[in-house]
């Protein structure tokens, strides 16, 4: 049955990119100000905050981030909880916000994802990001995240004939889609030739196949049906949600060309909403690497397994195509502050 | 209005202490096995997991812990979310579990708190724990957690005449209460003389005023009214819950002898349950340091501000007293795996 009571009434984010000298708490506060007072929602209406942040412990030696951040944002005393699920941290915070509204414990809540990543060197950030993989069995012996997705890319190339050029086309599309967004980290279109520049990060992934290391914060205000009318005539209703997990240990996965958690989570969301992939106008998926977007477009049922690359090649996933994917530019174009 | 639908139908924890050679995932799995199959609840009945863990990134270089842990515990694919709120990490996971049941998104969920702390040196653990304080303004210039609570102790001594001996009595009580629990880290009673041994960690806090660095995991199964009967004839109903935050920066607090977040969170829980402090038979409070228990016993309304130490002195908070506090032995006696 579709969710009945949860509405998005405001959304905002900061500039994404290398925000020199801007701290996590400052980015968070900016996103909160934009999503509340700047949108006509008084801060005092906010009853709780659910905050996604992946790895501030290693990047800025700061845990216990939720109270710290709401205090700095002028919301001292607010019940505030941090959610950590690597790249899905913000998504798990959103799900907590949904449950908070649906359970009627709260009427109006804030959901924020925030990460400060450029305070450390690329090596240190890569080491921190590797904490999202299985340390005991994989990352401790050198498997970084570009490595994880390079293995997925090789498997997809081997099984379905996907090429490096197909992946490069995802990057070209992302930069094009992001180019008109002044908050995006990358605002310049790139040519296919440039995207194919053989500066390999982890073969077959090249520089332009990788989303950047970014600072940034994004925020939503969720509220109940009764309160939604107070803030907007056009609330965005959340009618379906899903969540699943999988083995983090790649050795325990039977197929590297699909992510079972994405398949299952999207299946749950479709089922709850009472809709099918063909009913969707567009999708926003996780494109930390270009191959991840191709795989996700198959996992969510937009295309059959192995046909995601062809869809990119044929322009089907372009902004003006039949099934746009990441029309705003994705993590690849807009930036990827993990939380 | 009291919560209507949430029941605890099973609870378990591992041994707390220095669990040499036992990893986080192994402790987690043991707690899950005990709380599910060993208690007659099939693992397949569990629909989601909410997991509290404070700082595995710094202690075992492992973030993204929720999917990793449920996979190892034989629950691969389960929606699993990690919650981080320093020493309240497990409590925020419990609140998420409550919202999951009350929202009817799930019927039966697992709530687990787990931490592996003894894998690193005491210095390194202290540094990791300090990530729970404000890094930018306080912990980076040397304020560790014993220091934070030492400041609270000094303020309490100055304002109310609380003595080092009063705090030592909390430790004696904790060890006594924990002494019969085979899963406790400390199972030997201590004398007041021993508790007063002047091995200062951060004056006026001495060794026995501090809870230990511990490994361990604890788990609950929550379920709806309909399902509860399937598992037990005596479900424990959760009827009230509260959460609040405060400035983490001590400089921004007007009074170090009380924690405003505890006052407000307990007020919310009492209000929701429709009960008052005098209706309570006993309380389990956060006693990371002995002074924390004294302050908490005042913050939750068991005693007036400044009268918590006298209550300890008079035996009111003892197991056989009128208002037992931490009858199981608290973090001080049982151990303190933070998550």
């Amino acid at each position: 049955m579709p969710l009945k009571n949860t509405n998005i009434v405001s959304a905002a984010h900061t500039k994404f990119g290398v925000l020199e000298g801007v701290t996590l708490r400052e980015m968070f506060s900016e996103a909160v100000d934009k999503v509340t007072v700047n949108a006509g929602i008084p801060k005092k209406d906010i009853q709780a905050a659910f905050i996604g942040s992946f790895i501030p412990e290693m990047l800025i030696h700061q845990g216990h981030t939720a109270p710290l951040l709401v205090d700095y944002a002028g919301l001292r005393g607010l019940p505030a909880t941090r959610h950590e699920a690597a790249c899905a941290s913000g998504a798990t915070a959103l799900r907590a916000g949904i449950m908070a509204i649906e359970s009627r414990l709260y009427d109006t809540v804030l959901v924020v994802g925030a990460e400060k990543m450029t305070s450390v060197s690329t090596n240190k950030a890569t080491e921190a990001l590797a904490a999202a993989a299985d340390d005991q069995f994989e990352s401790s012996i050198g498997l970084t995240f570009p490595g994880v997705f390079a293995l997925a890319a090789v498997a997809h190339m081997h099984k379905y004939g996907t090429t490096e050029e197909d992946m490069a086309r995802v990057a070209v599309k992302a930069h094009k889609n992001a180019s008109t967004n002044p908050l995006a980290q990358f605002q310049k279109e790139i040519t296919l030739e440039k995207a194919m520049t053989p500066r390999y990060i982890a073969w077959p992934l090249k520089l332009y196949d990788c989303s950047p290391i970014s600072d940034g914060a994004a925020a939503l205000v969720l509220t109940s049906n009764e309160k939604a009318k107070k803030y907007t005539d056009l609330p965005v209703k959340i009618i379906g949600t899903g969540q699943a997990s999988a083995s983090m240990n790649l050795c325990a996965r039977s197929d590297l060309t699909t992510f079972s958690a994405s398949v299952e989570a999207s299946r749950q969301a479709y089922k709850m909403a009472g809709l099918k992939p063909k009913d969707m106008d567009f999708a926003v998926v996780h494109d930390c690497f270009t191959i991840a977007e191709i795989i996700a477009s198959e996992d969510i049922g937009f295309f059959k397994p192995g046909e995601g690359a062809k869809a990119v090649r044929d322009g089907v996933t372009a902004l003006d195509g039949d099934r746009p994917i990441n029309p705003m530019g994705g993590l690849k174009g807009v930036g990827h502050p993990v939380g």
Side-chain angles (χ1 to χ4, degrees), chain A residues 237-255:
Chain A
K237 290 197 91 70
I238 299 180
I239 58 172
T241 175
Q243 182 184 355
S245 68
S247 172
M248 272 161 54
N249 197 321
L250 299 186
C251 306
R253 297 186 177 196
S254 58
D255 187 348

Side-chain angles (χ1 to χ4, degrees), chain A residues 14 19 22-31 115 215-217:
Chain A
T14 65
L19 307 185
V22 183
T23 64
L24 181 67
R25 61 187 86 187
E26 289 165 342
M27 294 187 295
F28 179 90
S29 297
E30 184 189 327
E115 204 85 48
D215 307 324

Side-chain angles (χ1 to χ4, degrees), chain A residues 217-275:
Chain A
L220 299 172
V221 174
L222 305 185
T223 191
S224 62
N225 293 342
E226 299 78 36
K227 298 284 172 71
K229 295 160 201 157
K230 188 174 158 188
Y231 304 120
T232 177
D233 293 331
L234 283 173
V236 175
K237 290 197 91 70
I238 299 180
I239 58 172
T241 175
Q243 182 184 355
S245 68
S247 172
M248 272 161 54
N249 197 321
L250 299 186
C251 306
R253 297 186 177 196
S254 58
D255 187 348
L256 294 179
T257 67
T258 176
F259 297 125
S260 61
S262 307
V263 174
E264 172 60 19
S266 61
R267 193 195 62 76
Q268 290 173 15
Y270 287 131
K271 188 181 170 195
M272 189 180 286
L275 295 168

Side-chain angles (χ1 to χ4, degrees), chain A residues 25-313:
Chain A
R25 61 187 86 187
E26 289 165 342
M27 294 187 295
F28 179 90
S29 297
E30 184 189 327
V32 169
D33 281 346
K34 285 172 98 166
V35 85
T36 58
V37 285
N38 294 9
I41 301 175
K43 281 186 185 173
K44 67 172 177 47
D45 289 7
I46 304 295
Q47 298 166 330
F50 301 93
I51 301 167
S53 193
F54 171 39
I55 198 105
E57 295 85 353
M58 294 183 71
L59 296 172
I60 57 168
H61 193 249
Q62 185 67 65
H64 202 190
T65 37
L68 180 94
L69 294 173
V70 296
D71 182 18
Y72 198 81
L75 296 162
R76 184 177 295 169
L78 198 73
T81 307
R82 172 186 164 213
H83 303 259
E84 184 276 309
C87 299
S89 297
T92 55
L94 173 58
R95 272 176 60 88
I98 291 170
M99 292 193 292
I101 302 286
E102 294 287 327
S103 68
R104 300 188 181 269
L105 247 70
Y106 298 111
D107 289 312
T108 305
V109 304
L110 187 65
V111 176
V112 190
E115 204 85 48
K116 175 70 185 180
M117 305 185 70
T118 67
S119 45
V120 298
S121 68
T122 300
N123 276 356
K124 176 96 177 137
T126 304
E127 187 202 337
L129 288 165
D134 186 325
D135 188 73
Q136 192 175 329
F137 294 117
E138 292 184 341
S139 59
S140 63
I141 49 173
L143 187 62
T144 61
F145 259 87
V148 167
F149 282 90
L151 290 170
V154 171
H156 212 272
M157 291 163 81
H158 176 71
K159 187 166 177 181
Y160 297 120
T162 299
T163 66
E164 292 185 46
E165 194 174 290
D166 292 334
M167 294 188 270
R169 285 183 197 281
V170 174
V172 171
K173 172 175 71 70
H175 279 252
K176 185 174 179 188
N177 290 353
S179 66
T180 58
N181 177 357
L183 297 177
Q185 185 157 359
F186 300 124
Q187 291 165 50
K188 281 187 185 161
E189 294 193 41
I190 56 169
T191 61
L192 183 60
E193 190 187 6
K194 184 159 187 179
M196 287 291 286
T197 307
R199 182 172 156 198
Y200 286 101
I201 303 300
W203 183 86
L205 302 180
K206 298 175 285 296
L207 181 66
Y208 286 97
D209 290 305
C210 307
S211 62
I213 290 171
S214 318
D215 307 324
L220 299 172
V221 174
L222 305 185
T223 191
S224 62
N225 293 342
E226 299 78 36
K227 298 284 172 71
K229 295 160 201 157
K230 188 174 158 188
Y231 304 120
T232 177
D233 293 331
L234 283 173
V236 175
K237 290 197 91 70
I238 299 180
I239 58 172
T241 175
Q243 182 184 355
S245 68
S247 172
M248 272 161 54
N249 197 321
L250 299 186
C251 306
R253 297 186 177 196
S254 58
D255 187 348
L256 294 179
T257 67
T258 176
F259 297 125
S260 61
S262 307
V263 174
E264 172 60 19
S266 61
R267 193 195 62 76
Q268 290 173 15
Y270 287 131
K271 188 181 170 195
M272 189 180 286
L275 295 168
K276 292 198 157 32
K278 69 175 172 47
D279 299 320
M280 300 294 117
D281 289 331
F282 68 94
V284 174
V285 303
H286 194 72
D287 62 328
C288 50
F289 298 91
T290 52
I291 187 64
E293 174 174 316
I294 292 172
I295 291 175
S297 72
E298 300 168 2
D299 285 341
I300 63 171
F302 269 39
F303 310 111
K304 289 187 184 139
E307 296 188 1
K310 182 174 183 303
V312 182
R313 216 178 302 141

